[in-house]
Amino acid sequence: MSAEPLPPRESMEFDVVIVGAGPSGLAAAIRLKQINPELTVVVVEKGSEVGAHILSGAVIDPTPLDKLLPGWREDADCSLKTHVTDDHFFVMTGATSFKVPSFLVPPMLNNHKNFIGSLGDLCRWLAPQAEALGVEIYPGFAATEVLYGENGEVRGIATGDMGIGRDGQPKDSFTRGMELLGKYTLFAEGARGSLSKQLIAKYQLDKDSEPAKFGIGLKEVWQIDPKKHKKGLVAHSFGWPLSNTIGGGSFLYHYGDNLVAVGFVVHLNYDDPYLSPFDNFQRFKTHPSISRIFEGGKRISYGARAITEGGYQSVPRLSFPGGALVGCAAGFVNVPRIKGVHNAIGSGMLAAEHTAAALASGRANDELVEYENAWRGSAVGKDLFRVRNIKPLWSNFGTRVGVMLAGFEMWCSTLGFSLFGTLSHSKRDRDTLKPAKEYKPFPPVKPDGKLTFDRLSSVFLSNTNHEEDQPVHLKVADISLQKSSEHDVYAGPSGRYCPAGVYEWVDETAEPRFVINAQNCVHCKTCDIKDPNGNITWVPPEGGGGPNYQGM
């Protein structure tokens, strides 16, 4: 930055500041205003518009949405219209697939009362519902700093300065960020939120929790031949092209006007540094039972996002002085159900109710300990508790044995007991990689431009855009460590785990050079999770930058 001091920020005061206009943040804002219309509530969103950074499968359990906005089903403007009509699980091999008999599938995995649609579009609908109640929503402004009071309590957030050049100096277009001050601040940033990560560390919110666990989800939306479309069909699979030791699977959802959402999830606790989630996604689509669905179709969207997978054991303490974590910032995804939206909305509502009660009693900037004490007994906590052992069983025993044990555990849970107690997660995801010398590279997937694609053409479909003359928002703490470890020991996994072609090792001199193509970043946060040394930190770029997802 310039040697001259920056001008002071302007500030605005509210009762509640919410960071993130995803389902949890918007649900919290709506519920606050439902309880007390006089409350002043603001939501700040780093995407260029509400929904721009939202990506999910998505098959949505409507139960909490029914409680929040009971009339949503009758609203013609709400895009969530496709009921699940068929629901199947498959085991994939390289040549064929086997349907799991319905009577073997635990009842909690049943999707028949759920809806298929775009979570981004649902958030675009929720935003005006919040605004109609008086909530202020500011898209295009990234929350980059937590503001603290004299006693270490959270007082609000500051949005990032705009118009900073790549050299760190203010440009002619420089605009100072704003301070948004609140009596309470709710952090609804989603998985691996940058400020949530800081708060967890500052207040040691995870000291009594298991390590946070993550997956990466990659998704495409296709428009297919109407003759092949089966509106309401939900299909999930596990197995090929992943090996027995690598967790993950696929989803395939038919909805809307001949739309199909196809996606692939890879658990980020894999050990093989040569594994590429993106290549495995493209490879999956070449399976005979899958490729025929897309013949004559057109890919219209692409994106990727980290997913929280630690579940019940990994949820950190949710409250701290002046604020709380909600939604995927806290890690409320139900892994076997492949759902988190219902718990995001539910946790946002729960946090709002305890925040409103605290404000009604004259409190401010203290700890919302009632929210922390309540979540385990809520629908959110109960939903996660009954599947708490599924991820550890899969990780510890591999796909073939682990999935069978997980199925057995879910049936036991349905009957009200567990033979396993509560299992632990063994390691952080970044600690699971093994040296490249123990593995062989996978053969690359050659894109044909019709069914399979490369990263750059995929990023183009995500409408990703960043102001090029700004500081790189992917911070490498020690570039020499990146060379000696990430490159020399692990053969540069960043170029493979990144789904957007951000990272490259370029051999143009005697020493390979680490290149960061920050303009490609789709904000998935995988690098912040999987770098073997924790040497890469994702921070928000200038507000409005990143993907501009449509229909995701």
Side-chain angles (χ1 to χ4, degrees), residues 299-332:
R299 186 178 71 147
I300 57 178
S301 298
Y302 166 82
R305 189 70 173 89
I307 305 166
T308 57
E309 292 189 341
Y312 190 86
Q313 300 93 313
S314 295
V315 174
R317 184 175 181 85
L318 301 181
S319 60
F320 45 85
L325 304 175
V326 297
C328 284
F332 288 137

Side-chain angles (χ1 to χ4, degrees), residues 6 12-13 51 58 65 67 82 90 101 159 213-214 242 258 277 281 283 359 397 400-401 418 439 460 467 471 510:
L6 293 172
M12 300 173 66
E13 295 187 3
L65 188 58
K67 295 178 180 177
T82 303
F90 294 92
T159 63
K213 306 295 288 183
F214 298 91
L242 298 178
N258 303 315
F281 179 29
R283 187 175 287 113
L359 291 167
F397 292 96
R400 285 190 289 272
V401 175
S418 170
Y439 298 89
F460 178 79
E467 167 62 48

